[in-house]
Amino acid sequence: QVQLVESGGGLVQPGGSLRLSCAASGSIFSIHAMGWYRQVSGKQRELVAVPVSGGSTNYADSVKGRFTISRDNAKNTVYLQMNSLKPEDTAVYYCYADISSSWYARGDYWGQGTQVTVSS
């Protein structure tokens, strides 16, 4: 029973900032990765920010320099700090996690999504 709960979405003006949070809970044996994706209506879900091996993070080109991902391992929580927001950032943002719920069970989990709207 792994669950991802997102929060922090909302309406913000262009140039503003927003901080998204995603907390994982339930039967967690090990978290291998946590990151963020987003989806615009009628379009395919795309990667926003996902940590990769080597301690670096793979950011979408459109958000580099503006978005920053961080993680609190003790709280099983990942954050997405979004600065200098643009109208084209408007989307539903989804938390993603690669989690082992036991020594033999590993899979992908998704949050319910949180709406981010950037508009004046």
Side-chain angles (χ1 to χ4, degrees), residues 44-85:
Q44 185 173 309
R45 190 172 301 182
E46 67 171 349
L47 181 150
V48 176
V50 177
V52 296
S53 61
S56 62
T57 300
N58 185 13
Y59 290 97
D61 289 340
S62 59
V63 308
K64 287 181 180 177
R66 300 187 298 117
F67 290 12
T68 303
I69 195 170
S70 61
R71 180 174 163 183
D72 186 336
N73 292 323
K75 296 181 178 180
N76 293 331
T77 299
V78 66
Y79 305 92
L80 184 67
Q81 179 66 47
M82 304 184 292
N83 299 324
S84 301
L85 284 162

Side-chain angles (χ1 to χ4, degrees), residues 97-116:
D98 176 5
I99 294 175
S100 290
S101 57
S102 69
W103 71 269
Y104 63 87
R106 178 175 177 175
D108 297 335
Y109 296 86
W110 295 92
Q112 78 283 358
T114 184
Q115 176 71 48
V116 172

Side-chain angles (χ1 to χ4, degrees), residues 38-41 85-93 115-119:
R38 68 186 181 187
Q39 187 169 22
V40 178
S41 296
L85 284 162
K86 305 174 181 179
E88 49 264 44
D89 294 319
T90 296
V92 177
Y93 284 71
Q115 176 71 48
V116 172
T117 302
V118 185
S119 176

